[in-house]
Amino acid sequence: MRSEAAGGRAAGSGGAALGRPPVLSVEDVGVVLGGRLIVEGVRFGLAPGEVTGLIGPNGAGKTTVLRVVLGLVRPTSGLVRREGAARRPGGLAYVPQQHLVDAELPLRARDLVGLGLDGHRLGIPLPTRRRRELVDEALERVGAAGFADDRIGRLSGGQQQRVLLAHALVARPAVVVLDEPLANLDVRSEQEVAELLGRVAAEHEVAVLVSAHDVNPLLPVMSRVVYLAEGRAVWGTTEEVVRSEVLTRLYRHHVDVLRVHGRILVVPAGPATRVDVPDPDRPPGSDGGVEQVR
Amino acid sequence: MTVLAGLVAPGFLSSGPVRVALALGGIVSLVSAPVGVLTVVRRQSFAGHALGDIGATGGAGAFLLGVSALWGFLASSAIAVGAFHVAGSRERRSRDIATGIVLGAALGVSALFLYLDANSTSTTGATMTVLFGSLFVVPPGTVPLVAGLGAVALVAVLVCFRPLLLAAVHPDVAAARGVRVRRVELGYLVALAVAVALSAMTIGAVLSTALLVGPSGAALRVTRRPGSAVALAAALGVVATFAGVLLAYDSYAWPPAQHGWPASFFVVVLLFVADLAAGLLAGRGRRRSARRRAG
Ligand SMILES: Nc1ncnc2c1ncn2[C@@H]1O[C@H](COP(=O)(O)OP(=O)(O)OP(=O)(O)O)[C@@H](O)[C@H]1O
Ligand SMILES: [Mg+2]
């Protein structure tokens, strides 16, 4: 079983097609790690100026897919095209999942952002005015100017994440990949960072790929979703993908999607309601009790 | 000035062995500063220590063969570094276990070599020189070689410094930014091998980590910038080795008469004191900035 554009069989429209040529596309990618199939048939494209959410429960393979996108893991099958991204000097940038930097690391927040500009170059960095301006601007943009001169390892998890985001943005990359950037934030910061990602995508023509286990915080800014579950993926606009019949097919058991007060609740039913043969033509069962709310 | 004049015994600077010792100590300190800062930052002090211990095997072997101990230190460090690089892709835990096992074997072999050394020369000189160093018996002809090796290591580590720092933050972030992580790590390991071998020449194989990570550890306590950490570590290293040489020279006049104390002893003690002082200074700085923030 492989992933498909949600619009495909389920809704009869090719909704996943991008309006603009993608800067990066993942084509039919499968990954085997440690002899185990992690994901299979993953397909999506990233367009400049758009935020794409990579959504899935714990262990679904979000981090794995992001690492494939970045070229840190070689896919077992399929391929990732990065020609579009390679045309921009900034290339690809990465903000990893919940990572605490060593408290002893002799780097201030601004030093780490500076390494986003030229950390791949050999030799000693020369402090120029231009470099300083770019660094200050990036720190300002993510709301990290207040702790620019603090040692990075002494900042809180959320603050470190902002600095890593500034590090990712400073070189004006074509694609920014963020792994669960909202995971450790309070509700207000969650909103702020989501908005920030939307603004970054729109203002700088960056393709943003961001993983999360919940669609809600990303709803206001997200153009498209790659929904990951059971080792497979569906790709499309939020409306196309986050629907009961599409997710029921993906999970292989009944899933209710409830829209309440502008929020989306994805409610997988218990294992008792397992749908053995995913069939888009059969109406979703009405017997799925609400047992688990994600 | 008079205090200094009192400390510097007559004939200190005109003595040949003293000059060699100062040159060696200076070079080693300069190389160890950037290498040491990266070693501390990358949390590889244990690997650095392991290299020193493995170096003892090479040093003792060199004595047996009748060649300069430096060649022995270098050869065994190079082999060990190659093994680290190959094992580098493996998990940290299995790597640490492998290091521990190899270390034990290496020390066993050096015990044998040193025993044979002691029997063939009927002195304990080899043991002392290999394990604890003896700066004053380094032949002057070694200095250009040491300077050349030091320059190579220094260039290697300074060229790779930036990408290595980024890789210390997060290897994947560095790789995404276009850093060839494995390649720059190899550059670091080569510099580490040379730095450890030179430190072993200076203060002995067993104590070589002290000179490698001592100054850097102290420097990293008091500064938040990579550049100043390297500069401070270099300064601390130079001061400690020069003062160690000076005190060892002076100690010829101390009891037991006509037997100088080993320079390594002074160097290590000075570095220890510097580290304590840096710890106190850092603690005070933190309290002060906390007060400033609160007030
Ligand atoms: N190197 C590896 N070798 C073997 N299995 C792996 C490896 N890396 C990840 N996996 C497995 O792949 C699966 C997906 O992991 P991944 O980290 O991509 O999930 P995730 O969606 O990011 O989860 P989370 O939400 O918890 O971060 C997990 O079952 C994990 O055990
Ligand atoms: Mg993950």
Side-chain angles (χ1 to χ4, degrees):
Chain A
M1 181 70 199
R2 37 194 46 202
S3 83
E4 58 220 74
R9 278 199 308 165
S13 78
L18 294 168
R20 308 172 52 177
V23 285
L24 183 146
S25 57
V26 172
E27 298 177 1
D28 234 352
V29 159
V31 182
V32 174
L33 287 178
R36 209 158 64 78
L37 182 68
I38 310 293
V39 289
E40 189 186 16
V42 180
R43 247 195 297 140
F44 61 88
L46 302 176
E50 284 191 2
V51 176
T52 304
L54 178 64
I55 312 293
N58 287 135
K62 299 183 293 294
T63 301
T64 306
V65 168
L66 295 182
R67 289 171 58 85
V68 168
V69 164
L70 290 165
L72 301 172
V73 171
R74 197 169 302 177
T76 317
S77 58
L79 75 150
V80 180
R81 293 184 170 279
R82 302 190 187 81
E83 292 88 352
R87 253 176 252 134
R88 293 255 296 251
L92 279 71
Y94 184 33
V95 179
Q97 181 168 16
Q98 179 40 191
H99 173 70
L100 285 181
V101 175
D102 191 339
E104 299 300 316
L105 203 63
L107 283 182
R108 297 165 301 168
R110 64 167 62 258
D111 296 323
L112 178 57
V113 177
L115 287 177
L117 276 176
D118 51 24
H120 58 300
R121 303 239 182 88
L122 301 178
I124 308 291
L126 294 174
T128 63
R129 239 243 331 273
R130 176 99 187 104
R131 190 170 189 269
R132 207 189 149 83
E133 280 168 8
L134 287 172
V135 168
D136 281 339
E137 190 190 307
L139 284 162
E140 192 78 48
R141 195 157 11 130
V142 301
F147 36 89
D149 290 309
D150 286 355
R151 212 186 253 211
I152 172 91
R154 300 254 166 86
L155 298 175
S156 79
Q159 291 172 326
Q160 287 189 17
Q161 210 157 37
R162 282 176 191 249
V163 176
L164 280 164
L165 180 59
H167 163 95
L169 293 177
V170 71
R172 297 278 152 84
V175 179
V176 178
V177 172
L178 302 100
D179 200 356
E180 308 231 21
L182 308 180
N184 289 291
L185 303 181
D186 53 46
V187 179
R188 221 190 87 201
S189 312
E190 204 177 58
Q191 241 171 24
E192 272 176 27
V193 171
E195 271 165 27
L196 174 67
L197 294 181
R199 230 172 329 144
V200 163
E203 287 169 15
H204 299 284
E205 287 290 287
V206 180
V208 175
L209 176 62
V210 47
S211 79
H213 50 264
D214 181 14
V215 284
N216 285 296
L218 292 172
L219 283 179
V221 296
M222 183 165 66
S223 314
R224 275 161 232 278
V225 178
V226 179
Y227 212 109
L228 211 57
E230 307 285 317
R232 300 166 304 156
V234 230
W235 175 46
T237 62
T238 317
E239 292 73 40
E240 286 166 347
V241 171
V242 191
R243 293 194 335 200
S244 178
E245 62 272 29
V246 174
L247 295 187
T248 294
R249 266 196 316 138
L250 179 69
Y251 274 94
R252 290 212 182 92
H253 59 243
H254 184 73
V255 175
D256 278 316
V257 175
L258 311 172
R259 289 173 201 258
V260 218
H261 301 310
R263 288 176 63 81
I264 301 183
L265 297 183
V266 176
V267 190
T273 58
R274 193 169 175 84
V275 179
D276 286 328
V277 183
D279 183 354
D281 300 327
R282 197 174 64 183
S286 51
D287 52 346
V290 177
E291 294 184 2
Q292 200 188 352
V293 179
R294 284 176 206 269
Chain B
M1 226 31 238
T2 46
V3 178
L4 206 62
L7 267 176
V8 179
F12 175 70
L13 283 174
S14 57
S15 147
V18 165
R19 286 182 178 176
V20 171
L22 290 180
L24 204 58
I27 294 167
V28 173
S29 301
L30 292 183
V31 176
S32 291
V35 177
V37 165
L38 286 170
T39 303
V40 174
V41 160
R42 295 168 54 82
R43 299 172 180 244
Q44 285 191 319
S45 304
F46 179 56
H49 182 76
L51 278 183
D53 284 359
I54 292 168
T57 317
F63 254 91
L64 266 188
L65 294 176
V67 298
S68 162
L70 181 58
W71 293 116
F73 289 138
L74 269 179
S76 47
S77 281
I79 293 170
V81 150
F84 279 150
H85 187 63
V86 172
S89 47
R90 287 206 269 148
E91 258 183 65
R92 170 168 233 128
R93 187 157 42 113
S94 59
R95 214 162 58 200
D96 281 354
I97 293 169
T99 310
I101 292 169
V102 172
L103 210 60
L107 282 175
V109 174
S110 24
L112 174 68
F113 284 179
L114 289 172
Y115 173 78
L116 295 175
D117 284 338
N119 278 357
S120 64
T121 59
S122 70
T123 61
T124 52
T127 312
M128 268 308 284
T129 300
V130 170
L131 294 184
F132 301 106
S134 47
L135 266 175
F136 293 121
V137 300
V138 174
T142 319
V143 174
L145 176 64
V146 166
L149 285 168
V152 168
L154 204 55
V155 167
V157 77
L158 289 181
V159 160
C160 300
F161 198 78
R162 241 188 313 186
L164 282 166
L165 266 183
L166 189 51
V169 175
H170 197 298
D172 287 348
V173 169
R177 192 69 199 83
V179 173
R180 316 235 174 163
V181 177
R182 290 275 287 167
R183 210 178 285 181
V184 294
E185 278 178 355
L186 186 60
Y188 158 76
L189 283 174
V190 168
L192 179 66
V194 174
V196 169
L198 297 185
S199 290
M201 273 293 277
T202 312
I203 60 170
V206 172
L207 301 179
S208 60
T209 0
L211 200 46
L212 184 71
V213 299
S216 328
L220 286 172
R221 284 171 190 267
V222 293
T223 175
R224 325 169 268 186
R225 300 188 199 196
S228 26
V230 172
L232 192 55
L236 269 176
V238 169
V239 168
T241 47
F242 281 22
V245 170
L246 178 61
L247 288 170
Y249 186 82
D250 288 351
S251 72
Y252 276 94
W254 306 350
Q258 297 312 310
H259 287 275
W261 297 24
S264 319
F265 164 75
F266 296 110
V267 175
V268 173
V269 167
L270 287 169
L271 287 175
F272 181 71
V273 170
D275 194 54
L276 281 185
L280 288 178
L281 212 67
R284 232 180 49 195
R286 256 203 305 280
R287 274 195 299 282
R288 195 182 308 141
S289 67
R291 258 206 308 279
R292 206 183 314 132
R293 224 167 284 171

